[in-house]
Amino acid sequence: MEIKEIKVLLVDDHAIVRWGINTLIEKKPGFIVCGEAGSLAEAYQKVEALKPDIVLLDLKLPDGDGATGCRQIKKILPQTKIIILTAYADDLLLLETIKAGADGYLLKNIDSKAIVSAIENVALGIPILDPAMVGKVMNVVRIKSEFEEELTAQERNILDLIGLGKTNKEIAEELFIAEKTVRNYVSKIMKKIDVTNRTEAALYWSKQKSLK
């Protein structure tokens, strides 16, 4: 799948940070910074008006945190992808953003090329997690193995594909089943493993596989 243009909204309360990221992103052909915001309230207005493909969202803002921002932005524009870009590796807030629907998590000290690559991957539907955050997130993700129902072989196959960033349509094509059937499987899987979105499911499955 080729991305022709990616509209990015920058949300950070430090103007110098927005300027630096703006300069970096617009060096990449096809990437457009469509707007900037210094608070959640301003971000909500910009999301509604500009319809960005990606929102780069600071974890801590003057009027709220990243989890609050994720939930509201997803209500305003559900198809928008959200990447948390932060200087803080706060375990609990990071987990809350996962549950709120964030699609990527990067620390601000990440390599500049990695930021651009992460934006492109998230736009393609591939969840991104900064390597430095993996251990922290996994330490607080609840794994209720003693209460979980056993996953079927097909459910495990679907979880593997979710972990690769595949959409329901792509999973259906790969497994030769109807897209509606995939949606039903995904809903059942999420109930079994006690998660609320695909990013949580991918993280859960990655953890389970690492324990084997």
Side-chain angles (χ1 to χ4, degrees):
M1 177 182 175
E2 182 181 352
I3 300 177
K4 295 182 179 179
E5 179 178 290
I6 301 173
K7 293 166 58 179
V8 182
L9 174 67
L10 306 179
V11 184
D12 195 292
D13 58 334
H14 293 94
I16 190 68
V17 173
R18 298 197 305 269
W19 175 83
I21 297 173
N22 189 329
T23 302
L24 173 67
I25 290 174
E26 293 206 327
K27 287 181 179 178
K28 173 77 173 179
F31 284 61
I32 298 173
V33 176
C34 64
E36 299 182 13
S39 67
L40 289 179
E42 188 180 1
Y44 302 151
Q45 294 176 351
K46 294 288 180 71
V47 166
E48 192 164 10
L50 302 173
K51 305 292 190 294
D53 302 298
I54 301 284
V55 176
L56 277 183
L57 178 65
D58 193 9
L59 187 62
K60 295 184 178 181
L61 290 157
D63 54 347
D65 58 49
T68 302
C70 282
R71 282 190 288 268
Q72 186 60 28
I73 289 170
K74 291 287 188 177
K75 285 181 182 178
I76 296 169
L77 198 65
Q79 68 268 32
T80 296
K81 306 292 186 182
I82 301 173
I83 300 175
I84 300 297
L85 184 62
T86 177
Y88 302 96
D90 186 311
D91 301 12
L92 295 177
L93 275 179
L94 285 171
L95 182 58
E96 284 304 308
T97 59
I98 293 175
K99 292 182 177 180
D103 303 280
Y105 314 85
L106 300 173
L107 292 175
K108 286 181 178 177
N109 62 2
I110 191 171
D111 178 82
S112 59
K113 291 182 180 178
I115 292 179
V116 175
S117 176
I119 293 171
E120 194 161 18
N121 282 330
V122 167
L124 287 167
I126 303 171
I128 297 296
L129 187 62
D130 192 297
M133 295 182 180
V134 174
K136 289 180 172 291
V137 173
M138 293 307 181
N139 285 339
V140 292
V141 171
R142 293 182 304 151
I143 301 175
K144 299 180 177 180
S145 56
E146 65 273 26
F147 299 111
E148 290 163 7
E149 300 176 57
E150 185 67 26
L151 294 173
T152 66
Q154 186 73 310
E155 288 168 345
R156 291 172 184 274
N157 288 337
I158 290 172
L159 262 178
D160 276 332
L161 295 170
I162 289 174
L164 293 174
K166 300 285 187 180
T167 64
N168 286 349
K169 182 179 180 181
E170 290 169 334
I171 292 172
E173 290 173 352
E174 185 153 341
L175 298 180
F176 302 103
I177 57 178
E179 188 173 349
K180 181 179 179 181
T181 302
V182 175
R183 287 198 297 269
N184 291 337
Y185 268 117
V186 171
S187 177
K188 185 180 294 186
I189 289 167
M190 288 186 179
K191 286 181 181 178
K192 283 188 177 183
I193 64 176
D194 190 27
V195 299
T196 58
N197 59 59
R198 297 172 84 90
T199 303
E200 275 191 280
L203 287 171
Y204 165 88
W205 195 233
S206 174
K207 178 65 174 178
Q208 290 298 297
K209 292 170 74 174
S210 72
L211 294 174
K212 294 180 181 179

